[in-house]
Amino acid sequence: MDDELEPDELLARIQKEAITRTRFKIFFGMAAGVGKTYAMLREAQLLIERGEDVVIGWLEPHGRTETESLGVGMERVPPKIIDYHGAHLEELDAEAVIRRKPAIVLVDELAHSNATGMNHPKRYQDILDILDAGIPVYTTMNIQHLESIADSVELSTLVPIRERVPDEVFDRADEIQLIDIPPEELIERLSEGKIYSGDISREAMNNFFTRENLGVLRELALHHAAQLASNQLLDIMRGDHTRKFAGAQRILVAVSQSPNSENLIRWTRKLVYALKASWECVTIDSGAELSEDEKKRLSENLSFAKSLGAAVSTIPGNEIVRTVLDYAKQTGASIIVVGKSGASPKNNPFARKSITERIIAESGEIAVFAVQERSVHEIMRRRIGTKISTSSPWQYLIAVAGVALTTGLNAIITPYTGYWGASILYLALISVLALGINRGPVLIAALLSALLWDFIFIPPYHTLYIQKVEDALMLFLYILLAVTSGWMTSKLKANERLLAVRERRLELLSALASDLAGTPGQKETIAKSARFLHDAFDAEVVFLMGDERRDLSAVAANAPEIVVNEKEMNAARRCFLTGKHTGRHTDTLPLGDWYFAPLGTPTSTIGVVGFKSPHEQTWANDHERFLAIILRTVSLAIEREMFAEAAKASELLAESDRLGKLLLNSVSHELKTPLTIIQGSASALSDATLAIDPQTRSELIGEIVSGTERLTRIVDNLLSMNRLEAGRINLHRSETDPGDLASTALQLLNKDQDGHSVEIVNDGSARPLRCDERLIVQVLTNLLENAFRYSGEKSRIVVRIAQTDLTTQFEVSDDGPGVPPGDLPHLFEKFYRGKDAKPGGTGLGLAICKGIVEVHGGTIRAENIGRNESARPRTGFTVSFTLPNNPRAEKA
């Protein structure tokens, strides 16, 4: 038929699937001794003969000679030694396996529990690390250790199963190989001492290895293997896009903090596996306050569902039935699984419909599976115990004291109001109590007040007997009003608490987003986030960010004294590399004091946030979800700043490239003039007729010297700018006369005056100036050269020197046209050249002057000159700088 696969085609499809290398293979059977390790080693030997790089990561032959002989000659990764209370324990060294990176590693006993001090409490977690590192793993496991089957084994064999493997891990295997032998043969092997020896063997035969137990285990193993083969076949057929299949089932299981939820989750997992369906575990947050034990139990139930492969969600809602059904419809669930209590309408015809019955009645087209819970008496006992545990003894004391006080008050007013008036005060008391205490104490107060009203105030007095029908009806009405008003008030209070939590979280998220949006810089964003998380979660917080070496370093914390030791840093690094939560309250390095959560972005993990709570308390699942939302907000804000800094660096790089090109153009043009002079003069000197004339030769040599000096000044400027930017200016200070510095600078530019009149005006002070003479001369030279270039022909230039006891001021002014006002703020910027700048020049002169002056501890400024003093020109431009005469500390 067209819509069915032929046997040959199906076999070819299966063989094609088998060609792909197996990354995770599990050899499993009904019990120890069936030959799982032996079969694994036999296959490893065949792989080695084919040239595969196979090593033993961990082998547990249990003294079986045949098994040990197969492992002889195979490479073994040395075990990890754990010091536990003076004893040296050996465990699988997953890190060493990852460093060795073989083609295949053999790890015996998947369900093994690690010794205290290992990275993980369970060996299967070490194996997952090895798989995540890209190394294929072969391992062994017994069927009773599978989480979803362990409870059935316990019920059938009456033997507790302590070591368990989540179904999610088992399902990750690419290949499952069942190792099976008849129970009679296994018992025979046990009796011959081939599995255990001596007393252990006899004890095993009397307890676990009975014919009945092995029969049950074998049936479970064969059934699971058959179901696994059926699912694999379905996967292969679904992989054929030419075939049409109905949509996969989606199962929704509703759980709570009830101990029965674990059994409910396990039952659902079996249904999911049978139907090959996807599933989700939900719990409803109705706003009711949970005790610490209930929070812990709910967290354990949700974690258990995660370990079995379920998606987990916490849905807020004060109406459980409506919330579950609405969520099921929104997510497209086809089946709802709920717990069914033992209560029955036959036992109590006046009882309100249970949650399960209402879900079944209102589910519409969605199928509902109701799984039987424990007996009615146990459920009632547990609920009463829960109510008592969630209310403190003080609340019960307040309730009793309130009833006693109201009874005394009623004894005073009853002669005036009648005994019906007492009920009004009792009702008022119940309403007031419901506003401040939990439902349990309110219920006790309602029942106690009803008894006291009947016993003390309703005739006949001091008896529970009621003569009048109207009094009985009134008492019944009172009890009804007291209980319902107390219950409704408590429910309103729970709703108010739920809304308050939502509002508080929305306010926190809004405040965080607002603060981070207006925070510039990556470090500032991280520091503000650390303070926010500390206030929001009442815990010490540290941010550890990744660097280019893929290592972590502490960047910010809510307090400077917070230190993360090396042991905790190992947990943080694992969190950073794997992107999974580590540390306290997790399955990875749980013995530390810190809980680490990754800072994940859509592209990578950029860092880790550590939390250290001063209170040992359980975080609810919705608390973790709220933390995840906050961390995603923080991660995106940090990533935004990282991108902004990268963009800024890119802009700086582009600007640097632009300035480099500008410098190259400016310098090449500036160098061209002196080089042309030098080249022309040198060429002229090579002409014998010109070189004979002494005057001509002298003029040519002078031109060469002048060009060389100009070229030297340009190079000095470039080198000075480079040293200033790199912070490598070394000052060689000495005491000198300020006037000598001005004269030296003028002498260097003597040939460049070009008709300008230069005057040095000294106020007559004879105080020495302690500075680097060469650099200050360079400053004066640059200022004078600018004045020669821009002040106009034959202008008057004045160098003024004014001193006080502490400072010396140099001022270079001219009577030229000055500088356009728009150029003044930018004159000391690198490569800046004004609109009216003449050709030539690098735009570095004034920038170098500013750098040299500031390195000396001085200041520099430029301004256009107006009509100020008769001794000064009416118009012009001036640059002045001030230096300390004798600075206390020299800058290097």
Side-chain angles (χ1 to χ4, degrees), residues 109-162:
E109 296 188 350
L110 177 66
H112 171 76
S113 295
N114 288 332
T116 303
M118 291 285 288
N119 290 343
H120 299 293
K122 296 291 185 179
R123 179 169 292 167
Y124 70 77
Q125 295 169 322
D126 293 325
I127 290 177
L128 291 179
D129 287 345
I130 296 173
L131 289 170
D132 290 341
I135 302 173
V137 177
Y138 286 10
T139 187
T140 62
M141 174 183 160
N142 294 328
I143 188 64
Q144 70 265 24
H145 296 302
L146 189 60
E147 183 66 72
S148 61
I149 295 178
D151 65 322
S152 300
V153 176
E154 286 184 342
L155 290 173
S156 301
T157 64
L158 301 179
V159 176
I161 308 299
R162 296 183 177 86

Side-chain angles (χ1 to χ4, degrees), residues 690-809:
L690 294 176
I692 295 175
D693 184 7
Q695 183 177 354
T696 302
R697 185 171 64 253
S698 176
E699 291 177 356
L700 292 173
I701 291 174
E703 291 291 339
I704 291 174
V705 172
S706 175
T708 303
E709 290 176 348
R710 185 173 179 181
L711 189 61
T712 300
R713 289 197 300 272
I714 295 173
V715 173
D716 284 345
N717 278 340
L718 292 174
L719 293 176
S720 296
M721 193 73 250
N722 182 53
R723 287 194 296 269
L724 283 169
E725 289 185 334
R728 298 198 310 268
I729 288 288
N730 296 316
L731 299 181
H732 302 284
R733 296 183 189 268
S734 61
E735 292 188 353
T736 184
D737 181 74
D740 292 343
L741 297 175
S743 300
T744 302
L746 186 59
Q747 186 177 359
L748 290 174
L749 295 173
N750 187 41
K751 295 182 179 180
D752 294 333
Q753 291 187 23
D754 197 21
H756 294 287
S757 171
V758 180
E759 179 183 359
I760 298 176
V761 179
N762 198 326
D763 64 358
S765 301
R767 299 179 182 87
L769 171 63
R770 185 172 177 78
C771 66
D772 188 315
E773 297 181 26
R774 182 181 60 83
L775 293 178
I776 299 304
V777 167
Q778 184 178 355
V779 172
L780 291 170
T781 301
N782 285 343
L783 297 181
L784 287 170
E785 193 171 19
N786 276 350
F788 293 158
R789 177 173 295 182
Y790 295 107
S791 61
E793 296 182 1
K794 298 181 180 180
S795 62
R796 179 171 177 264
I797 298 171
V798 179
V799 179
R800 298 178 183 276
I801 303 173
Q803 289 189 288
T804 66
D805 292 337
L806 300 177
T807 62
T808 296
Q809 184 184 58

Side-chain angles (χ1 to χ4, degrees), residues 77-261:
V77 176
K80 190 172 187 177
I81 308 300
I82 302 295
D83 186 5
Y84 183 69
H85 297 301
H88 295 290
L89 306 178
E90 294 184 349
E91 294 287 357
L92 166 68
D93 193 341
E95 290 89 349
V97 172
I98 293 173
R99 289 194 298 269
R100 169 63 175 77
K101 206 168 181 62
I104 297 173
V105 61
L106 310 182
V107 182
D108 212 358
E109 296 188 350
L110 177 66
H112 171 76
S113 295
N114 288 332
T116 303
M118 291 285 288
N119 290 343
H120 299 293
K122 296 291 185 179
R123 179 169 292 167
Y124 70 77
Q125 295 169 322
D126 293 325
I127 290 177
L128 291 179
D129 287 345
I130 296 173
L131 289 170
D132 290 341
I135 302 173
V137 177
Y138 286 10
T139 187
T140 62
M141 174 183 160
N142 294 328
I143 188 64
Q144 70 265 24
H145 296 302
L146 189 60
E147 183 66 72
S148 61
I149 295 178
D151 65 322
S152 300
V153 176
E154 286 184 342
L155 290 173
S156 301
T157 64
L158 301 179
V159 176
I161 308 299
R162 296 183 177 86
E163 294 182 331
R164 303 186 179 192
V165 175
D167 291 56
E168 183 182 23
V169 177
F170 190 84
D171 293 345
R172 184 169 172 175
D174 302 293
E175 183 178 345
I176 306 292
Q177 182 171 331
L178 175 65
I179 310 300
D180 179 55
I181 61 174
E184 294 79 10
E185 184 178 339
L186 182 59
I187 293 175
E188 184 179 349
R189 293 189 63 190
L190 183 65
S191 62
E192 293 174 354
K194 293 182 178 180
I195 302 176
Y196 302 119
S197 59
D199 295 338
I200 299 177
S201 180
R202 286 188 294 273
E203 184 179 351
M205 291 180 63
N206 294 331
N207 293 290
F208 189 76
F209 283 79
T210 64
R211 191 180 302 275
E212 294 79 8
N213 287 349
L214 293 178
V216 170
L217 292 173
R218 191 186 191 200
E219 181 183 359
L220 288 172
L222 292 174
H223 176 73
H224 198 77
Q227 202 168 43
L228 179 66
S230 175
N231 288 338
Q232 288 178 342
L233 175 61
L234 184 60
D235 285 340
I236 294 172
M237 298 177 70
R238 281 178 174 172
D240 189 348
H241 300 295
T242 64
R243 294 179 58 86
K244 303 292 184 181
F245 290 91
Q249 300 276 9
R250 179 174 177 81
I251 300 176
L252 191 71
V253 54
V255 302
S256 65
Q257 64 275 12
S258 167
N260 287 313
S261 292

Side-chain angles (χ1 to χ4, degrees), residues 254-493:
V255 302
S256 65
Q257 64 275 12
S258 167
N260 287 313
S261 292
E262 181 178 338
N263 177 62
L264 187 64
I265 293 168
R266 187 178 281 109
W267 191 93
T268 306
R269 162 63 193 179
K270 295 176 183 178
L271 179 64
V272 166
Y273 193 77
L275 297 179
K276 198 63 177 177
S278 62
W279 63 307
E280 183 174 4
C281 177
V282 298
T283 181
I284 308 302
D285 183 2
S286 63
E289 189 172 355
L290 301 180
S291 67
E292 192 63 27
D293 288 340
E294 288 180 312
K295 290 180 182 178
K296 184 177 181 181
R297 196 181 305 121
L298 178 60
S299 179
E300 290 173 349
N301 290 339
L302 297 177
S303 298
F304 179 61
K306 286 181 183 178
S307 72
L308 294 184
V312 174
S313 300
T314 299
I315 313 300
N318 53 16
E319 180 56 49
I320 295 177
V321 174
R322 194 73 263 151
T323 304
V324 170
L325 292 175
D326 288 345
Y327 188 75
K329 293 175 181 177
Q330 290 172 8
T331 57
S334 54
I335 297 174
I336 298 176
V337 179
V338 292
K340 183 185 72 172
S341 68
S344 171
K346 294 181 179 179
N347 298 334
N348 186 1
F350 299 103
R352 183 189 180 193
K353 282 187 177 181
S354 67
I355 291 176
T356 301
E357 291 169 333
R358 292 177 59 198
I359 290 179
I360 293 174
E362 301 174 24
S363 60
E365 296 181 355
I366 302 176
V368 179
F369 283 57
V371 181
Q372 180 63 48
E373 294 185 347
R374 299 179 184 179
S375 65
V376 178
H377 301 292
E378 186 173 357
I379 292 175
M380 292 304 297
R381 180 189 58 78
R382 174 165 41 83
R383 288 180 178 175
I384 293 173
T386 299
K387 294 299 182 184
I388 294 175
S389 64
T390 54
S391 303
S392 67
W394 284 104
Q395 292 189 357
Y396 289 97
L397 182 61
I398 291 172
V400 173
V403 171
L405 183 62
T406 305
T407 301
L409 185 59
N410 279 332
I412 298 174
I413 67 171
T414 299
Y416 304 100
T417 63
Y419 60 85
W420 281 13
S423 65
I424 298 176
L425 286 182
Y426 279 132
L427 281 176
L429 170 68
I430 300 304
S431 299
V432 172
L433 288 176
L435 293 174
I437 61 179
N438 294 335
R439 298 180 191 179
V442 172
L443 180 61
I444 295 296
L447 296 177
L448 182 60
S449 62
L451 288 174
L452 290 175
W453 183 40
D454 182 15
F455 187 78
I456 298 176
F457 301 105
I458 298 179
Y461 302 117
H462 306 112
T463 67
L464 296 179
Y465 177 73
I466 301 177
Q467 293 179 333
K468 300 179 181 180
V469 176
E470 58 267 30
D471 289 343
L473 291 175
M474 185 64 183
L475 178 62
F476 174 77
L477 181 61
Y478 167 78
I479 295 175
L480 181 63
L481 288 175
V483 173
T484 55
S485 64
W487 183 84
M488 288 299 297
T489 306
S490 298
K491 187 173 182 179
L492 289 174
K493 188 176 68 172

Side-chain angles (χ1 to χ4, degrees), residues 80 82 92-95 114-123 125-126 129 552 564-578 580-597 608 611:
K80 190 172 187 177
I82 302 295
L92 166 68
D93 193 341
E95 290 89 349
N114 288 332
T116 303
M118 291 285 288
N119 290 343
H120 299 293
K122 296 291 185 179
R123 179 169 292 167
Q125 295 169 322
D126 293 325
D129 287 345
L552 292 174
V564 180
N565 59 38
E566 186 60 29
K567 180 181 177 182
E568 304 284 2
M569 283 297 295
N570 290 333
R573 292 188 183 98
R574 181 172 289 271
C575 175
F576 178 62
L577 295 175
T578 63
K580 299 177 181 177
H581 297 234
T582 61
R584 197 161 191 81
H585 304 304
T586 70
D587 291 332
T588 304
L589 298 171
L591 299 180
D593 296 328
W594 287 82
Y595 166 81
F596 295 101
V608 169
F611 296 87

